Amino acid sequence: MPELPEVETVRRGLVPAMEGRRIVAADIRRPDLRWPLPEKMGERLTGARVLALRRRSKYILGELDTGETLLIHLGMSGRILISGHAVGDFVHEASTPQKHDHVILDMDGGARVTMNDARRFGAMDLIATKDLDAHPLLAGLGPEPFGNAFSEPYLVRRLAGRKTPIKAALLDQKVVAGLGNIYVCEALHRARISPKRLAGRVSAERVGRLVPVIRAVLEEAIAAGGSSLRDHRQTDGELGYFQHSFRVYGREGQPCMTDGCPGEVRRIVQSGRSTFYCPVCQR
């Protein structure tokens, strides 16, 4: 599942093609993705101008001048690609729709924005902008990791007394929005906190240190274009490459990368998901 850095990388790639642009044609090529697509979606999108592209947690939000917002979720296999538009130093011709190109938006600047999703685990919706915060996918989300609300006192307060492992607590989208399995593993390793330790038993000082560490890991991943493990692509079709900077994720049996640590990375399963950590330096 794409995590915050992958979604933010896609959002940034879409900005020059979509933000401030009008959708001159919306081709909706099937009635559903993970869930049914909105009624008359093509009609409602055609002619709308994209006022702003934002990200909330793992969702891309395109605010329209019609009073609605287009919500995009990539899911496990969704990709959004741009053609017919200058991307960096390259120009990609608008391509002929392929089998798994389910939603195609032609923009007034000449860009074609295509939602491709072979397994249809992604989702798209149109929501009245004024009701956005009440949408089932967005309601109850915690603060963004880069926002002022995600602070050391906040995280200390939210984790105090919790009897779940700290890794599970950080994956709780009501605690902090957008964090996923990969980057929680990486952040806990940098902070030298065991993913097995109960959240409420980690000292306030150590919990507080997690805030800048989480931000640093996410910033580095965004700068690298995210991590490409299976399906993730940037909007120009290129792979992200932060996976080459993983310190623990996917490195089972390899030496710990903490300076002076003699340990090796282990893999355990927590709540059905792989956790990678060093049992020597993470306590």
Side-chain angles (χ1 to χ4, degrees):
M1 183 76 72
E3 300 185 21
L4 186 155
E6 289 75 46
V7 178
E8 177 63 16
T9 297
V10 171
R11 185 200 70 83
R12 293 183 183 187
L14 289 172
V15 165
M18 294 187 71
E19 199 166 75
R21 305 284 189 180
R22 192 171 297 280
I23 302 170
V24 297
D27 183 8
I28 313 303
R29 301 173 62 80
R30 61 173 302 111
D32 58 2
L33 292 175
R34 184 173 183 181
W35 300 295
L37 293 171
E39 291 185 8
K40 299 182 178 179
M41 184 178 179
E43 295 176 28
R44 291 157 68 182
L45 288 175
T46 299
R49 185 177 298 278
V50 180
L51 300 177
L53 276 177
R54 299 184 290 110
R55 180 194 50 76
R56 181 71 170 108
S57 184
K58 302 173 186 178
Y59 306 98
I60 296 171
L61 303 173
E63 183 181 350
L64 308 175
D65 65 356
T66 58
E68 293 189 302
T69 291
L70 174 64
L71 178 148
I72 303 171
H73 181 48
L74 297 175
M76 294 179 66
S77 57
R79 304 177 186 176
I80 299 181
L81 300 174
I82 301 172
S83 57
H85 178 77
V87 181
D89 296 328
F90 302 94
V91 175
H92 301 269
E93 294 298 326
S95 59
T96 301
Q98 303 298 307
K99 178 180 179 181
H100 300 298
D101 292 350
H102 303 311
V103 176
I104 300 173
L105 306 178
D106 287 321
M107 311 301 298
D108 64 3
R112 170 168 287 178
V113 178
T114 300
M115 173 72 163
N116 176 286
D117 192 348
R119 290 180 281 174
R120 303 201 308 275
F121 289 144
M124 299 182 84
D125 202 358
L126 277 169
I127 312 118
T129 301
K130 62 182 179 60
D131 299 328
L132 195 60
D133 290 341
H135 190 276
L137 294 175
L138 304 177
L141 287 175
E144 291 288 321
F146 296 121
N148 292 334
F150 184 62
S151 63
E152 295 179 16
Y154 165 81
L155 191 58
V156 169
R157 184 173 67 253
R158 286 303 308 266
L159 297 189
R162 292 191 62 144
K163 297 181 180 180
T164 57
I166 190 165
K167 185 195 173 194
L170 292 174
L171 288 174
D172 183 348
Q173 298 298 294
K174 294 180 180 179
V175 173
V176 55
L179 287 186
N181 194 45
I182 293 173
Y183 299 107
V184 169
C185 287
E186 292 295 307
L188 288 173
H189 180 258
R190 292 194 189 191
R192 301 192 181 189
I193 297 173
S194 171
K196 299 188 293 183
R197 185 172 290 277
L198 298 184
R201 304 189 76 173
V202 180
S203 70
E205 179 184 0
R206 298 181 78 199
V207 169
R209 289 204 302 266
L210 267 172
V211 172
V213 168
I214 287 170
R215 287 176 174 154
V217 169
L218 294 176
E219 286 170 352
E220 290 174 24
I222 291 169
S227 302
S228 295
L229 298 181
R230 289 188 181 177
D231 295 297
H232 171 63
R233 296 289 190 279
Q234 301 178 62
T235 53
D236 59 0
E238 295 298 317
L239 298 171
Y241 46 87
F242 186 71
Q243 66 274 13
H244 300 303
S245 299
F246 287 165
R247 296 172 64 88
V248 285
Y249 193 86
R251 299 188 64 251
E252 181 181 9
Q254 298 183 45
C256 177
M257 296 180 69
T258 299
D259 289 343
C261 179
E264 66 177 37
V265 176
R266 286 187 187 173
R267 173 187 172 274
I268 59 173
V269 176
Q270 293 180 295
S271 302
R273 308 192 72 180
S274 293
T275 294
F276 297 90
Y277 76 108
C278 174
V280 175
C281 67
Q282 289 180 253
R283 297 295 185 182

